[in-house]
Amino acid sequence: MYICLCYGVTDKAIKKAVKEDGVGNMRELRETLGVGSQCGRCIQMAQQVIDSTIIDE
Ligand code: FES
């Protein structure tokens, strides 16, 4: 499922960034994948994906 439409980033891609690239918060996700740096509409959803991925580990 797409989380960030501006950058075409899926929940899968965010999970991968958290697990493999050490992304731990929105700032790091923005720096890594651009998520949230355009319209900002995806920020809340993206944060939830980060949180649930961290809890899963
Ligand atoms: Fe992510 Fe617009 S949907 S910045």
Side-chain angles (χ1 to χ4, degrees):
M1 169 179 76
Y2 279 104
I3 302 292
C4 179
L5 289 177
C6 295
Y7 289 92
V9 177
T10 60
D11 57 338
K12 256 186 158 177
I14 295 174
K15 282 183 182 152
K16 189 169 176 280
V18 172
K19 288 187 173 167
E20 294 175 20
D21 304 327
V23 167
N25 55 47
M26 245 347 268
R27 182 181 54 78
E28 290 167 359
L29 187 65
R30 188 168 55 234
E31 286 167 3
T32 309
L33 297 176
V35 173
S37 60
Q38 194 94 19
C39 73
R41 256 178 265 160
C42 56
I43 289 174
Q44 214 180 338
M45 271 260 256
Q47 182 69 63
Q48 283 173 18
V49 176
I50 294 172
D51 291 346
S52 67
T53 308
I54 290 170
I55 289 165
D56 265 8
E57 284 184 327

